[in-house]
Every structure is written in C-alpha cells, then in structure tokens.
C-alpha cells in the first residue's frame, strides 16, 4: 500500500483528499505540526507528498525545499494560488505536478496514481533515517545536516546506517564488524575503532558533537 502525506491546513480539504485516496487503498496522514513537517515526513516515510503553498509558520515552498534536501519523493502542489508565477516557482523548487483549487478529486487521484507508478514501478522507495536534525538518505548514501551534505566513506555510511536503524539500542562491536566486513577472514578490532574515530571527527566538524555514544566493553549507541 502506498502512503501519502497531506500537508494542508484546511482540514475540510485534507479530509476530502484522505477519503478519496483511501478509497484507492492509499494510506494517508495529515501533517499536524506546521513548524516541523519534516518530523511527520521522516516518521511516516510517505511515497508521495501533497503540499499546499499557503501554510502557517512556513509556506509550502519552504517545506518542498527542505524535503528535496533529503528525498526525491514525488511532490504535488495543491493551491488556489495557481497563477503562472507560482506554478513555475513550484516546479523550480522540485515539485512534480501542480493542481489548482478547487479541484476534482478523481483528477487528483489519477495524477497521484500516475506519479506513483512512474516513480515506484521500477524502483523501490528509499527510507530516510533521522536523528537530531541529521538525515541519512539510504537511497544515495548521503548525510544531510543544516542543509549541508556531509560526505561519507562506504564504511562510515554503513556504521551510521546500522546505528541509526537501531536508534536507542546498543550495537555491539561484533555486529558492526559483521555489517562492515561480510567475510570470514579475521579483521583487527582496531580497524573498527579507526573508522569510528574518523566518523566522529567528521560529525563533530559538522556540528553533530557526541552523536555516537560509546558503551565501554559493549558497543556503540545513538540515543
């Protein structure tokens, strides 16, 4: 079942979209916290986003830009501000389509289904892991923090992925070594320590101090 995030402050319109989409077995969530739409996005992991322009706190352009920093998920703008300037701006921000209010619900669903087919028939959606404002995109192995991409080596990415997917739980050194080096040959434990230390320095330099916690004699933890 596909998932759609509806970022719309008009509750009657959001309810209408949700009811229409669920008739076609599209699971929906409506954004509640317009100060932090990215939290809803990363928690729900939607396959498509429906985004109004005129929102409380930050407008739809802002959230489109923020989502595009971490994901290529399809985005459809839905707005009564449907003049050419707004349509062009939405597309330049990274939107995939624009529907003017008032709209026909069946047309909206048809456009959603077309976008979903084109996006996911030949590729699976890649989840985004989030912690302390840092976003790890598992689709292209990148880490984004404060709008900046932090380059990661292959091992650094694997360490972060393993720790972030087990957020709140201690990951043993043995499990990390198995994840990094899927081989029967002996690997010196110091090699893991070197990789962890390099990753920590990179995270510290980006402003993510104490991102990884060491549990002496046990392993590592992101909490």
């Amino acid at each position: 079942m596909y998932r759609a995030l509806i970022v719309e402050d008009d509750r009657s319109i959001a309810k209408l979209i949700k009811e229409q989409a669920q008739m076609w077995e599209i699971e929906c969530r409506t954004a509640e916290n317009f100060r932090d739409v990215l939290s809803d996005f990363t928690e729900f992991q939607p396959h498509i986003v429906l985004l109004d322009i005129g929102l409380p706190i930050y407008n739809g352009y802002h959230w489109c830009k923020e989502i595009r920093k971490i994901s290529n998920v399809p985005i459809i703008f839905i707005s009564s501000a449907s003049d050419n300037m707004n349509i062009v701006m939405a597309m330049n921000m990274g939107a995939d389509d624009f529907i003017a209010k008032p709209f026909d619900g069946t047309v909206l669903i048809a456009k959603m289904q077309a976008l979903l087919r084109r996006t996911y028939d030949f590729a699976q959606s890649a989840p985004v892991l989030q912690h302390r404002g840092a976003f790890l995109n598992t689709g292209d192995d990148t880490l984004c923090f404060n709008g900046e991409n932090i380059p990661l080596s292959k091992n650094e990415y694997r360490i972060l992925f393993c720790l972030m997917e087990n957020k709140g739980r201690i990951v043993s050194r043995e499990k990390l070594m198995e994840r990094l080096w899927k081989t029967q040959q002996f690997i010196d434990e110091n090699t893991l320590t070197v990789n962890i230390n390099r990753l920590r320095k990179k995270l510290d330099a980006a402003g993510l101090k104490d991102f990884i916690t060491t549990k002496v004699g046990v392993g590592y933890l992101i909490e």
Side-chain angles (χ1 to χ4, degrees), residues 53-86:
I53 293 177
L55 296 169
I57 318 299
Y58 303 104
N59 65 26
Y61 296 133
H62 170 83
W63 292 119
C64 182
K65 184 178 178 182
E66 292 302 302
I67 291 170
R68 278 290 169 261
K69 290 177 181 177
I70 61 172
S71 175
N72 289 320
V73 65
I75 296 174
I76 299 178
F77 269 95
I78 300 174
S79 178
S80 57
S82 56
D83 56 275
N84 288 342
M85 184 183 74
N86 278 299

Side-chain angles (χ1 to χ4, degrees), residues 16-43:
L16 174 65
I17 296 172
K18 187 173 182 178
E19 290 174 350
Q20 289 266 340
Q22 288 177 336
M23 288 174 60
W24 292 91
E25 298 186 341
I26 299 174
E27 181 183 355
C28 293
R29 176 184 291 190
T30 54
E32 299 294 335
N33 183 1
F34 292 104
R35 288 185 180 275
D36 190 12
V37 170
L38 280 186
S39 290
D40 282 322
F41 179 84
T42 54
E43 180 184 343

Side-chain angles (χ1 to χ4, degrees), residues 19-207:
E19 290 174 350
Q20 289 266 340
Q22 288 177 336
M23 288 174 60
W24 292 91
E25 298 186 341
I26 299 174
E27 181 183 355
C28 293
R29 176 184 291 190
T30 54
E32 299 294 335
N33 183 1
F34 292 104
R35 288 185 180 275
D36 190 12
V37 170
L38 280 186
S39 290
D40 282 322
F41 179 84
T42 54
E43 180 184 343
F44 189 50
Q45 293 291 318
H47 297 94
I48 192 168
V49 176
L50 307 179
L51 187 59
D52 190 13
I53 293 177
L55 296 169
I57 318 299
Y58 303 104
N59 65 26
Y61 296 133
H62 170 83
W63 292 119
C64 182
K65 184 178 178 182
E66 292 302 302
I67 291 170
R68 278 290 169 261
K69 290 177 181 177
I70 61 172
S71 175
N72 289 320
V73 65
I75 296 174
I76 299 178
F77 269 95
I78 300 174
S79 178
S80 57
S82 56
D83 56 275
N84 288 342
M85 184 183 74
N86 278 299
I87 294 173
V88 170
M89 187 176 297
M91 296 304 180
N92 287 339
M93 285 285 182
D96 296 277
D97 207 341
F98 193 110
I99 295 180
K101 295 178 182 176
F103 56 85
D104 185 307
T106 57
V107 172
L108 172 61
I109 296 301
K111 284 178 174 284
M112 288 174 63
Q113 290 177 323
L115 259 178
L116 288 167
R117 284 195 303 270
R118 288 201 301 270
T119 306
Y120 301 109
D121 272 0
F122 302 104
Q124 294 182 341
S125 72
V128 177
L129 303 178
Q130 186 269 148
H131 182 63
R132 279 176 50 185
F135 299 87
L136 186 68
N137 191 326
T138 61
D140 57 11
D141 302 358
T142 59
L143 182 70
C144 182
F145 180 65
N146 281 343
E148 299 292 331
N149 283 324
I150 303 168
L152 300 173
S153 70
K154 183 182 296 185
N155 282 345
E156 289 166 351
Y157 166 77
R158 288 174 177 170
I159 290 169
L160 265 186
F161 180 79
C162 188
L163 292 176
M164 290 179 76
E165 73 174 347
N166 290 283
K167 186 166 63 174
R169 300 191 297 270
I170 297 172
V171 180
S172 68
R173 291 178 61 86
E174 291 75 17
K175 182 174 181 177
L176 279 172
M177 291 178 68
E178 181 183 344
R179 180 69 67 90
L180 266 63
W181 298 286
K182 297 178 181 179
T183 173
Q184 297 299 317
Q185 71 182 65
F186 174 76
I187 301 294
D188 190 337
E189 282 200 33
N190 286 333
T191 306
L192 175 61
T193 302
V194 169
N195 278 271
I196 291 281
N197 288 340
R198 285 177 180 165
L199 176 57
R200 275 190 166 133
K201 288 180 180 178
K202 193 171 287 188
L203 294 172
D204 286 350

